Amino acid sequence: MKALNRREKLTYGAPVWVCLALIVLLLMLPTGFEDAVQYQTAERCVAEVTAVDNSFIKDTGLVRSGDQICTLQVVSGMFRGQTVTGTNLLRGSLAEDKIYEVGDRALVVISHSAGEVIAVTMTDHFRLNWEVVLAVLFALLLVLFAGKTGLRALLSFVLTVLMLWKLLVPLYLKGWNPIWMGLLVALLLTVLIIAMVYGFDRRCAAAVSGSFLGIAVTALLGMVFTDAFQIHGAVMEASESLLYAGFAHLNLTQIFMASIFIGASGAVMDLSVDITSAVAEVVEKKPDISAWEAVRSGMNVGRAAMGTMTTTLLLAYSGGYVSLLMVFMAQGTPVSHILNYKYVAAELVHTVVGSFGLVTVAPFTALCAGFWLTRSRK
């Protein structure tokens, strides 16, 4: 019994150490884009607005254009303590323009030569302090509510962010195949995140197997229907800018395909863990249950969960498009025309194909969990 307890503790604790090791490794791993040319002759720093001159701004009602001249006190970087004059260029766009007031902090780019300031461009309001506050509050709430499980979830969250930023994005920029790299990263994250819940045991194997089969179905359907709908990857926001910034070799359409199954992988994992936990509980309470009975129990749980999970994807993907839908309705655009627009069709592919992954992960996980867990009991 003691040996068994030691083994259970080892399998449950091992994912934490693996996750910590990967986090440290990824933090030290260079992306390869740290020395990008556009950052070599400019200093990015924070400055406080001490005075503003709005006399060059043209107010045209809803939008403003022209220049806002701001006097700035630099509070970080090599020019800290210096007073400089910055220009806030207004393009007449409510989405992109910002107006500064005295006391605001701004992120600025200072172009310099031989230690002398040449020009100061005001990029945006400085929000990092409030972002840190929000992250700390989230972490505290998670740990206070869930305890050690919350810490594990926090580690999973940090690992996912680092995997995407330090591994997936640089590999995409370097021209690696987006589909295979996306599948590899999705599989690695699936294994580690689910292992943080169960440890490296049969429940983990069952949930990972079901999840990845569902992700594979989503990837296959995403590729098929992206081609069928004749969608170019440039529908992704800001993606076309990459082609004109020295990355013309990128296959944006494949990146779009990969984004479909990566975006759905979180919901797929969630449903897979729910079904696996339910089957594990049934097997625990009734050790003599047959594999097919356990599978049927998992299928029943999956049917109940799928009703809300598919709607979750719909709301997650379409929530940011409410204003666009309002524009369509205000202009009297027919629904048949709306559904034919490329960016609307792209969201349909995202939502419906992601839902296919959810529908298929339920039977896959039920089968895997039913046979893996009843086998372990025998």
Side-chain angles (χ1 to χ4, degrees):
M1 180 65 70
K2 289 182 178 179
L4 181 61
N5 288 337
R6 283 198 297 269
R7 181 182 177 185
E8 288 177 350
K9 289 180 179 178
L10 179 62
T11 57
Y12 187 64
V16 175
W17 295 107
V18 173
C19 188
L20 285 171
L22 282 174
I23 288 174
V24 172
L25 179 63
L26 289 169
L27 285 172
M28 295 168 42
L29 181 70
T31 63
F33 296 91
E34 289 82 4
D35 297 325
V37 175
Q38 57 265 38
Y39 300 127
Q40 292 180 357
T41 59
E43 175 78 3
R44 289 178 172 263
C45 54
V46 181
E48 184 174 342
V49 179
T50 58
V52 295
D53 180 2
N54 296 330
S55 59
F56 298 98
I57 296 178
K58 298 177 181 178
D59 197 335
T60 57
L62 285 176
V63 296
R64 294 177 174 181
S65 59
D67 296 332
Q68 182 186 35
I69 310 301
C70 299
T71 303
L72 306 167
Q73 182 80 24
V74 183
V75 297
S76 68
M78 61 184 293
F79 298 100
R80 182 176 182 177
Q82 294 190 26
T83 299
V84 296
T85 300
T87 302
N88 174 29
L89 178 62
L90 303 176
R91 299 179 175 85
S93 169
L94 289 175
E96 297 180 6
D97 290 344
K98 49 272 173 187
I99 297 292
Y100 297 95
E101 297 178 358
V102 174
D104 288 347
R105 287 203 164 192
L107 186 65
V108 300
V109 179
I110 301 178
S111 301
H112 58 87
S113 178
E116 296 293 328
V117 175
I118 299 175
V120 179
T121 302
M122 303 179 70
T123 305
D124 212 324
H125 287 88
F126 182 71
R127 302 182 177 91
L128 186 58
N129 49 355
W130 286 110
E131 291 171 354
V132 171
V133 169
L134 187 63
V136 170
L137 287 175
F138 168 71
L140 287 175
L141 181 62
L142 191 61
V143 173
L144 287 173
F145 179 74
K148 292 182 179 180
T149 303
L151 281 173
R152 287 171 171 262
L154 193 60
L155 284 176
S156 300
F157 184 86
V158 173
L159 178 64
T160 301
V161 172
L162 289 175
M163 286 284 287
L164 296 177
W165 179 249
K166 299 296 287 282
L167 189 63
L168 188 68
V169 173
L171 290 178
Y172 278 2
L173 287 173
K174 292 173 183 177
W176 290 52
N177 187 285
I179 303 295
W180 290 112
M181 289 303 100
L183 284 171
L184 179 62
V185 169
L187 175 60
L188 184 57
L189 284 174
T190 300
V191 171
L192 291 172
I193 291 171
I194 293 178
M196 292 290 280
V197 176
Y198 294 128
F200 291 122
D201 61 7
R202 288 180 181 270
R203 292 173 301 172
C204 177
V208 168
S209 301
S211 293
F212 201 67
L213 286 170
I215 292 171
V217 169
T218 307
L220 181 61
L221 291 175
M223 289 186 286
V224 170
F225 283 99
T226 298
D227 286 338
F229 281 30
Q230 298 181 1
I231 296 173
H232 193 279
V235 295
M236 296 181 293
E237 186 177 0
S239 60
E240 195 171 355
S241 301
L242 285 168
L243 302 180
Y244 308 116
F247 295 93
H249 62 281
L250 296 182
N251 189 326
L252 296 181
T253 302
Q254 286 191 352
I255 295 174
F256 172 80
M257 293 174 181
S259 72
I260 296 174
F261 62 80
I262 291 174
S265 61
V268 166
M269 276 188 281
D270 188 14
L271 183 56
S272 181
V273 168
D274 288 344
I275 295 172
T276 301
S277 296
V279 174
E281 186 70 16
V282 170
V283 174
E284 181 73 25
K285 300 298 182 183
K286 189 180 178 183
D288 59 340
I289 191 173
S290 69
W292 285 110
E293 285 179 310
V295 169
R296 282 194 292 271
S297 297
M299 289 290 291
N300 290 333
V301 174
R303 290 190 188 100
M306 278 188 293
T308 56
M309 292 300 292
T310 52
T311 309
T312 299
L313 278 184
L314 173 63
L315 294 174
Y317 288 134
S318 62
Y321 286 86
V322 173
S323 59
L324 181 61
L325 296 177
M326 292 170 66
V327 170
F328 287 146
M329 183 169 288
Q331 295 178 345
T333 308
V335 174
S336 59
H337 288 199
I338 295 173
L339 295 177
N340 272 292
Y341 290 139
K342 184 186 293 185
Y343 42 89
V344 175
E347 288 305 310
L348 283 175
V349 172
H350 259 290
T351 304
V352 179
V353 171
S355 298
F356 266 104
L358 285 176
V359 172
T360 55
V361 76
F364 285 146
T365 305
L367 284 168
C368 294
F371 283 96
W372 272 100
L373 300 180
T374 54
R375 179 186 171 190
S376 69
R377 276 294 174 189
K378 294 177 182 178

Short mmCIF file of all heavy atoms in Angstrom, two decimals, residues 283-320:
data_model
loop_
_atom_site.label_atom_id
_atom_site.label_comp_id
_atom_site.label_asym_id
_atom_site.label_seq_id
_atom_site.Cartn_x
_atom_site.Cartn_y
_atom_site.Cartn_z
N VAL A 283 -16.71 3.89 -12.41
CA VAL A 283 -15.88 2.69 -12.23
C VAL A 283 -15.44 2.56 -10.77
O VAL A 283 -15.35 1.44 -10.24
CB VAL A 283 -14.66 2.75 -13.17
CG1 VAL A 283 -13.71 1.59 -12.90
CG2 VAL A 283 -15.11 2.71 -14.62
N GLU A 284 -15.18 3.69 -10.11
CA GLU A 284 -14.79 3.67 -8.71
C GLU A 284 -15.92 3.15 -7.82
O GLU A 284 -15.70 2.36 -6.90
CB GLU A 284 -14.39 5.08 -8.26
CG GLU A 284 -13.93 5.19 -6.83
CD GLU A 284 -12.56 4.59 -6.60
OE1 GLU A 284 -11.77 4.52 -7.57
OE2 GLU A 284 -12.27 4.20 -5.46
N LYS A 285 -17.15 3.57 -8.11
CA LYS A 285 -18.29 3.15 -7.31
C LYS A 285 -18.76 1.74 -7.65
O LYS A 285 -19.33 1.03 -6.80
CB LYS A 285 -19.46 4.13 -7.49
CG LYS A 285 -19.15 5.56 -7.09
CD LYS A 285 -18.80 5.67 -5.62
CE LYS A 285 -18.55 7.12 -5.24
NZ LYS A 285 -18.14 7.26 -3.82
N LYS A 286 -18.54 1.33 -8.89
CA LYS A 286 -18.98 0.00 -9.32
C LYS A 286 -17.82 -0.70 -10.04
O LYS A 286 -17.77 -0.71 -11.27
CB LYS A 286 -20.19 0.13 -10.25
CG LYS A 286 -20.86 -1.19 -10.57
CD LYS A 286 -22.06 -0.98 -11.49
CE LYS A 286 -22.70 -2.32 -11.85
NZ LYS A 286 -23.83 -2.16 -12.79
N PRO A 287 -16.90 -1.30 -9.29
CA PRO A 287 -15.69 -1.87 -9.89
C PRO A 287 -15.96 -2.99 -10.88
O PRO A 287 -15.13 -3.23 -11.76
CB PRO A 287 -14.93 -2.40 -8.66
CG PRO A 287 -15.48 -1.65 -7.50
CD PRO A 287 -16.90 -1.40 -7.83
N ASP A 288 -17.08 -3.69 -10.76
CA ASP A 288 -17.35 -4.82 -11.65
C ASP A 288 -18.07 -4.41 -12.93
O ASP A 288 -18.52 -5.25 -13.70
CB ASP A 288 -18.18 -5.88 -10.91
CG ASP A 288 -19.51 -5.32 -10.42
OD1 ASP A 288 -19.63 -4.08 -10.31
OD2 ASP A 288 -20.42 -6.13 -10.13
N ILE A 289 -18.19 -3.09 -13.20
CA ILE A 289 -18.88 -2.62 -14.39
C ILE A 289 -18.12 -3.06 -15.64
O ILE A 289 -16.88 -3.12 -15.67
CB ILE A 289 -19.04 -1.09 -14.34
CG1 ILE A 289 -19.99 -0.61 -15.45
CG2 ILE A 289 -17.69 -0.41 -14.47
CD1 ILE A 289 -20.32 0.88 -15.35
N SER A 290 -18.86 -3.38 -16.68
CA SER A 290 -18.21 -3.78 -17.93
C SER A 290 -17.74 -2.55 -18.70
O SER A 290 -18.18 -1.42 -18.44
CB SER A 290 -19.18 -4.58 -18.80
OG SER A 290 -20.23 -3.75 -19.29
N ALA A 291 -16.84 -2.78 -19.65
CA ALA A 291 -16.30 -1.67 -20.44
C ALA A 291 -17.40 -0.94 -21.21
O ALA A 291 -17.44 0.29 -21.25
CB ALA A 291 -15.23 -2.18 -21.40
N TRP A 292 -18.33 -1.71 -21.81
CA TRP A 292 -19.36 -1.07 -22.62
C TRP A 292 -20.38 -0.31 -21.77
O TRP A 292 -20.92 0.70 -22.19
CB TRP A 292 -20.08 -2.11 -23.48
CG TRP A 292 -19.23 -2.54 -24.64
CD1 TRP A 292 -18.62 -3.74 -24.82
CD2 TRP A 292 -18.87 -1.72 -25.77
NE1 TRP A 292 -17.90 -3.74 -25.98
CE2 TRP A 292 -18.03 -2.52 -26.59
CE3 TRP A 292 -19.15 -0.43 -26.15
CZ2 TRP A 292 -17.50 -2.06 -27.78
CZ3 TRP A 292 -18.62 0.05 -27.34
CH2 TRP A 292 -17.80 -0.76 -28.14
N GLU A 293 -20.61 -0.78 -20.54
CA GLU A 293 -21.48 -0.03 -19.64
C GLU A 293 -20.82 1.30 -19.26
O GLU A 293 -21.49 2.34 -19.20
CB GLU A 293 -21.76 -0.85 -18.37
CG GLU A 293 -22.74 -1.99 -18.57
CD GLU A 293 -22.96 -2.78 -17.29
OE1 GLU A 293 -21.96 -3.17 -16.65
OE2 GLU A 293 -24.13 -2.98 -16.92
N ALA A 294 -19.52 1.25 -19.01
CA ALA A 294 -18.80 2.49 -18.70
C ALA A 294 -18.81 3.44 -19.89
O ALA A 294 -18.96 4.66 -19.73
CB ALA A 294 -17.35 2.16 -18.30
N VAL A 295 -18.69 2.88 -21.09
CA VAL A 295 -18.73 3.71 -22.30
C VAL A 295 -20.10 4.38 -22.42
O VAL A 295 -20.20 5.57 -22.73
CB VAL A 295 -18.43 2.86 -23.55
CG1 VAL A 295 -18.73 3.65 -24.84
CG2 VAL A 295 -16.97 2.41 -23.56
N ARG A 296 -21.17 3.64 -22.17
CA ARG A 296 -22.51 4.22 -22.26
C ARG A 296 -22.70 5.34 -21.23
O ARG A 296 -23.34 6.36 -21.52
CB ARG A 296 -23.57 3.13 -22.08
CG ARG A 296 -23.80 2.28 -23.32
CD ARG A 296 -25.09 1.46 -23.18
NE ARG A 296 -24.95 0.45 -22.15
CZ ARG A 296 -24.48 -0.78 -22.36
NH1 ARG A 296 -24.07 -1.13 -23.58
NH2 ARG A 296 -24.41 -1.65 -21.38
N SER A 297 -22.14 5.16 -20.05
CA SER A 297 -22.21 6.23 -19.04
C SER A 297 -21.50 7.48 -19.52
O SER A 297 -22.00 8.60 -19.37
CB SER A 297 -21.60 5.74 -17.72
OG SER A 297 -22.32 4.65 -17.19
N GLY A 298 -20.33 7.30 -20.11
CA GLY A 298 -19.60 8.44 -20.66
C GLY A 298 -20.35 9.12 -21.78
O GLY A 298 -20.35 10.35 -21.89
N MET A 299 -21.02 8.33 -22.63
CA MET A 299 -21.80 8.90 -23.72
C MET A 299 -22.96 9.72 -23.19
O MET A 299 -23.28 10.79 -23.73
CB MET A 299 -22.32 7.78 -24.62
CG MET A 299 -21.25 7.10 -25.46
SD MET A 299 -20.61 8.17 -26.75
CE MET A 299 -22.03 8.28 -27.82
N ASN A 300 -23.60 9.26 -22.13
CA ASN A 300 -24.71 10.02 -21.55
C ASN A 300 -24.24 11.36 -21.01
O ASN A 300 -24.93 12.38 -21.17
CB ASN A 300 -25.36 9.20 -20.42
CG ASN A 300 -26.12 7.99 -20.95
OD1 ASN A 300 -26.59 7.99 -22.10
ND2 ASN A 300 -26.24 6.95 -20.14
N VAL A 301 -23.09 11.36 -20.35
CA VAL A 301 -22.53 12.62 -19.86
C VAL A 301 -22.19 13.53 -21.04
O VAL A 301 -22.45 14.74 -21.01
CB VAL A 301 -21.28 12.36 -19.00
CG1 VAL A 301 -20.59 13.67 -18.61
CG2 VAL A 301 -21.64 11.57 -17.76
N GLY A 302 -21.61 12.96 -22.09
CA GLY A 302 -21.24 13.74 -23.26
C GLY A 302 -22.44 14.37 -23.93
O GLY A 302 -22.38 15.54 -24.35
N ARG A 303 -23.55 13.64 -24.02
CA ARG A 303 -24.75 14.19 -24.65
C ARG A 303 -25.27 15.39 -23.87
O ARG A 303 -25.71 16.38 -24.45
CB ARG A 303 -25.83 13.11 -24.71
CG ARG A 303 -25.55 12.00 -25.71
CD ARG A 303 -26.76 11.11 -25.90
NE ARG A 303 -26.43 9.94 -26.70
CZ ARG A 303 -26.18 8.74 -26.19
NH1 ARG A 303 -26.22 8.56 -24.88
NH2 ARG A 303 -25.89 7.73 -26.97
N ALA A 304 -25.23 15.28 -22.54
CA ALA A 304 -25.73 16.39 -21.71
C ALA A 304 -24.83 17.62 -21.84
O ALA A 304 -25.33 18.76 -21.85
CB ALA A 304 -25.80 15.95 -20.25
N ALA A 305 -23.52 17.40 -21.95
CA ALA A 305 -22.58 18.53 -21.98
C ALA A 305 -22.53 19.20 -23.34
O ALA A 305 -22.30 20.42 -23.43
CB ALA A 305 -21.19 18.05 -21.58
N MET A 306 -22.74 18.44 -24.41
CA MET A 306 -22.60 19.01 -25.75
C MET A 306 -23.61 20.11 -26.03
O MET A 306 -23.33 21.03 -26.81
CB MET A 306 -22.72 17.90 -26.81
CG MET A 306 -21.43 17.12 -27.03
SD MET A 306 -21.55 16.00 -28.43
CE MET A 306 -22.74 14.83 -27.83
N GLY A 307 -24.76 20.03 -25.40
CA GLY A 307 -25.78 21.04 -25.66
C GLY A 307 -25.32 22.45 -25.31
O GLY A 307 -25.67 23.41 -26.00
N THR A 308 -24.55 22.58 -24.25
CA THR A 308 -24.06 23.90 -23.86
C THR A 308 -22.69 24.22 -24.44
O THR A 308 -22.38 25.39 -24.69
CB THR A 308 -23.99 24.00 -22.32
OG1 THR A 308 -23.16 22.94 -21.82
CG2 THR A 308 -25.37 23.89 -21.71
N MET A 309 -21.86 23.19 -24.66
CA MET A 309 -20.50 23.45 -25.13
C MET A 309 -20.49 24.02 -26.54
O MET A 309 -19.68 24.89 -26.87
CB MET A 309 -19.67 22.17 -25.07
CG MET A 309 -19.38 21.68 -23.66
SD MET A 309 -18.48 22.89 -22.66
CE MET A 309 -16.90 22.88 -23.48
N THR A 310 -21.37 23.54 -27.41
CA THR A 310 -21.41 24.09 -28.77
C THR A 310 -21.85 25.55 -28.75
O THR A 310 -21.35 26.38 -29.50
CB THR A 310 -22.37 23.27 -29.65
OG1 THR A 310 -23.63 23.15 -28.99
CG2 THR A 310 -21.83 21.88 -29.90
N THR A 311 -22.81 25.86 -27.86
CA THR A 311 -23.23 27.26 -27.72
C THR A 311 -22.09 28.11 -27.15
O THR A 311 -21.96 29.29 -27.50
CB THR A 311 -24.46 27.34 -26.79
OG1 THR A 311 -25.45 26.42 -27.24
CG2 THR A 311 -25.04 28.74 -26.80
N THR A 312 -21.26 27.52 -26.31
CA THR A 312 -20.11 28.24 -25.76
C THR A 312 -19.19 28.70 -26.88
O THR A 312 -18.72 29.84 -26.90
CB THR A 312 -19.33 27.33 -24.79
OG1 THR A 312 -20.18 26.96 -23.71
CG2 THR A 312 -18.11 28.04 -24.24
N LEU A 313 -18.92 27.81 -27.83
CA LEU A 313 -18.08 28.20 -28.96
C LEU A 313 -18.74 29.30 -29.78
O LEU A 313 -18.06 30.24 -30.21
CB LEU A 313 -17.80 26.98 -29.85
CG LEU A 313 -16.68 26.04 -29.44
CD1 LEU A 313 -16.49 24.96 -30.50
CD2 LEU A 313 -15.38 26.79 -29.23
N LEU A 314 -20.03 29.17 -30.02
CA LEU A 314 -20.74 30.18 -30.80
C LEU A 314 -20.63 31.55 -30.15
O LEU A 314 -20.31 32.55 -30.81
CB LEU A 314 -22.22 29.78 -30.95
CG LEU A 314 -23.13 30.81 -31.61
CD1 LEU A 314 -22.69 31.07 -33.05
CD2 LEU A 314 -24.58 30.35 -31.57
N LEU A 315 -20.87 31.62 -28.84
CA LEU A 315 -20.80 32.90 -28.14
C LEU A 315 -19.36 33.42 -28.08
O LEU A 315 -19.13 34.63 -28.18
CB LEU A 315 -21.36 32.74 -26.73
CG LEU A 315 -22.86 32.45 -26.65
CD1 LEU A 315 -23.27 32.17 -25.21
CD2 LEU A 315 -23.66 33.61 -27.21
N ALA A 316 -18.40 32.52 -27.92
CA ALA A 316 -17.00 32.94 -27.83
C ALA A 316 -16.52 33.56 -29.13
O ALA A 316 -15.80 34.57 -29.13
CB ALA A 316 -16.12 31.74 -27.46
N TYR A 317 -16.91 32.96 -30.26
CA TYR A 317 -16.44 33.46 -31.56
C TYR A 317 -17.23 34.66 -32.06
O TYR A 317 -16.70 35.54 -32.72
CB TYR A 317 -16.49 32.34 -32.61
CG TYR A 317 -15.45 31.27 -32.42
CD1 TYR A 317 -15.78 29.92 -32.50
CD2 TYR A 317 -14.12 31.61 -32.15
CE1 TYR A 317 -14.82 28.93 -32.33
CE2 TYR A 317 -13.17 30.62 -31.97
CZ TYR A 317 -13.52 29.29 -32.07
OH TYR A 317 -12.57 28.33 -31.90
N SER A 318 -18.55 34.68 -31.75
CA SER A 318 -19.39 35.73 -32.33
C SER A 318 -19.59 36.92 -31.42
O SER A 318 -20.14 37.94 -31.86
CB SER A 318 -20.76 35.14 -32.70
OG SER A 318 -21.43 34.68 -31.55
N GLY A 319 -19.16 36.82 -30.16
CA GLY A 319 -19.38 37.91 -29.23
C GLY A 319 -18.76 39.22 -29.66
O GLY A 319 -19.29 40.30 -29.40
N GLY A 320 -17.63 39.15 -30.35
CA GLY A 320 -16.95 40.36 -30.79
C GLY A 320 -17.50 40.94 -32.08
O GLY A 320 -16.98 41.96 -32.57
#
